[in-house]
Amino acid sequence: MKLWDLFMAFGTATMLGYGGGPAIIPLYENQVVTRYEWMNTDEFGKALAFGNALPGPIATKLAAYIGFKVAGYAGAAVALTAVVLPTAIVMILLAGVMLKLSNNPFVRGMIRGIQPVIFVMMAMLAYDFVKYAIQPIAGPVPFLPLLIAAGFFVLVHYYHLNAVWGIIGALIVGALFMRGG
């Protein structure tokens, strides 16, 4: 039953998650935290933070991790299959249709109409995770998470530093100065 629940949770969220990985995250969170209660919000947030520090699509990383946590290797395989297989089949079936309809005004209107929804979903996700960036920590620099967030923003946005270097830097700073609790 857990394997079927994993397949349905990740398959449903993936099929409804228009806009890619970041847009799918709130849907995954709803399934994992609210519906099935496999994790709490804090555990999900930590899994998301760690997954974002690794290369590759966030949807597959979260699915594999959560699937493994829920039902071991079989759970990871089922969750990954639920994320990849349905969308791959749909993409193969609809690729030709989309190419023919890409200039259709209704299709363009649909895409423009969904963009504000995707923006709000990503903004809600960011809002949920602000608490991790502003939550003080024990130690000589209690606002270090906020400094990391602000520094990352400035370096990536204004100085065009590749985000990978910011992620590596944050991992190092975290390992050195944020080990407690």
Side-chain angles (χ1 to χ4, degrees):
M1 192 63 167
K2 281 186 181 182
L3 295 177
W4 177 249
D5 288 343
L6 280 166
F7 187 84
M8 290 306 295
F10 284 99
T12 302
T14 299
M15 292 306 292
L16 295 175
Y18 184 90
I24 290 172
I25 294 167
L27 301 175
Y28 284 0
E29 182 180 20
N30 179 268
Q31 294 284 5
V32 171
V33 174
T34 306
R35 183 166 183 197
Y36 291 101
E37 299 178 347
W38 292 321
M39 295 178 155
N40 62 38
T41 303
D42 191 50
E43 291 171 315
F44 186 86
K46 288 177 181 175
L48 178 61
F50 185 67
N52 274 319
L54 299 172
I58 189 62
T60 54
K61 292 180 285 187
L62 276 176
Y65 174 77
I66 294 165
F68 183 80
K69 187 177 186 316
V70 171
Y73 289 107
V78 166
L80 277 170
T81 301
V83 168
V84 175
L85 186 63
T87 55
I89 291 170
V90 170
M91 285 298 296
I92 291 167
L93 294 175
L94 295 179
V97 175
M98 281 304 293
L99 286 174
K100 290 180 182 179
L101 295 178
S102 63
N103 291 324
N104 182 298
F106 291 106
V107 173
R108 282 197 318 259
M110 290 169 62
I111 292 169
R112 286 186 183 133
I114 198 69
Q115 286 173 333
V117 173
I118 302 304
F119 165 76
V120 169
M121 290 173 67
M122 292 176 74
M124 288 170 35
L125 180 67
Y127 178 78
D128 286 344
F129 285 92
V130 162
K131 63 185 170 196
Y132 298 112
I134 62 172
Q135 183 178 15
I137 61 169
V141 186
F143 51 91
L144 186 57
L146 182 60
L147 285 175
I148 292 171
F152 182 81
F153 176 79
V154 168
L155 290 171
V156 172
H157 188 74
Y158 293 108
Y159 292 99
H160 308 289
L161 178 76
N162 187 315
V164 170
W165 296 113
I167 291 168
I168 291 170
L171 288 170
I172 292 168
V173 170
L176 296 174
F177 302 106
M178 301 172 71
R179 290 181 267 190

